[in-house]
Amino acid sequence: GISKETLDKFQIRYDRISDRLVYPIRNIKGEIVNIGGRAVNAKWKEKGQKKYCYFYSWGSIDTLYGLSDNIENIKKKREIILFEGCKSVLIADTWGVYNTSALLTSHLNRNQMKMLAKLGCRVIFALDKDVDISDDKNIAILKRYVNVEYIMDTKGLLSAKDSPVDKGEDVFIELYRTRKKLK
């Protein structure tokens, strides 16, 4: 469900050796700081693979996936929608939603929090259904500097581990439309 245009925009490739989709992870300047990989074989566990990997070790993730690609749209809309993983950014991009980025994890770290505060726009957390952002100390700090909203599935539209884009565009639009402000 990801368009060829989106795959090209984000330079997604297939690596035969590791049987993974691979993608560059860029800093805000557009410089590659790491390469991510996602297993494509459904039997990745049986093969002893990790579902996700990075080709270089991180100390602490100091970027947001897709930010450099979408920065102009984020600034224009004065809003950034944050997902956990890059797949959600790619799906949203295919639908024409260009103000997204991904944490590459389920929580906001201090480096990412500072980047978002500097952006100065509304931040909407669209994390997987099983993540409760109220426990995240860096999000609590971020809301001192910018408006913070979040997507919450109160109607049972998603399964336990789903991203807000996993059930299709109509479900995402409904979840986005009913987002809540973090108090």
Side-chain angles (χ1 to χ4, degrees):
I2 299 170
S3 72
K4 170 103 170 73
E5 294 78 19
T6 295
L7 293 173
D8 290 344
K9 172 183 173 180
F10 289 93
Q11 297 181 313
I12 309 299
R13 301 291 184 266
Y14 175 70
D15 176 23
R16 284 181 287 126
I17 296 168
S18 66
D19 193 24
R20 295 181 177 282
L21 290 178
V22 294
Y23 47 92
I25 300 170
R26 300 176 185 281
N27 63 20
I28 196 163
K29 297 176 190 173
E31 302 163 331
I32 295 174
V33 295
N34 210 330
I35 304 291
R38 187 178 201 276
V40 293
N41 189 316
K43 297 182 180 186
W44 56 270
K45 274 187 184 174
E46 289 107 29
K47 291 180 142 196
Q49 289 183 322
K50 292 181 180 177
K51 186 173 185 179
Y52 302 100
C53 73
Y54 298 106
F55 285 63
Y56 305 99
S57 68
W58 292 97
S60 175
I61 298 173
D62 60 356
T63 194
L64 295 164
Y65 177 81
L67 181 61
S68 66
D69 301 285
N70 289 335
I71 190 72
E72 293 309 315
N73 288 299
I74 291 164
K75 287 179 178 179
K76 184 178 177 183
K77 196 155 185 180
R78 302 214 21 85
E79 172 187 284
I80 184 170
I81 301 170
L82 286 173
F83 296 108
E84 283 187 43
C86 69
K87 179 187 77 165
S88 298
V89 171
L90 303 175
I91 291 170
D93 190 88
T94 296
W95 297 337
V97 181
Y98 306 121
N99 59 317
T100 66
S101 191
L103 299 171
L104 301 173
T105 186
S106 61
H107 60 279
L108 182 69
N109 72 36
R110 197 156 186 82
N111 296 325
Q112 294 167 326
M113 186 257 311
K114 289 177 183 178
M115 291 172 65
L116 293 167
K118 283 181 187 176
L119 277 176
C121 64
R122 177 176 48 229
V123 178
I124 300 171
F125 287 89
L127 304 183
D128 292 1
K129 183 173 180 168
D130 63 343
V131 176
D132 180 2
I133 69 164
S134 65
D135 296 333
D136 192 311
K137 292 175 184 163
N138 289 318
I139 293 174
I141 295 169
L142 177 65
K143 75 178 184 178
R144 296 180 197 164
Y145 302 100
V146 297
N147 289 324
V148 174
E149 297 176 3
Y150 61 98
I151 287 176
M152 180 196 267
D153 177 23
T154 58
K155 297 179 181 179
L157 302 172
L158 302 174
S159 298
K161 295 238 178 228
D162 281 346
S163 165
V165 298
D166 283 349
K167 296 296 186 195
E169 187 174 6
D170 291 340
V171 169
F172 174 72
I173 290 168
E174 175 64 16
L175 292 168
Y176 176 85
R177 189 183 64 71
T178 59
R179 68 194 182 277
K180 310 243 184 272
K181 182 173 175 128
L182 187 63
K183 297 178 184 188

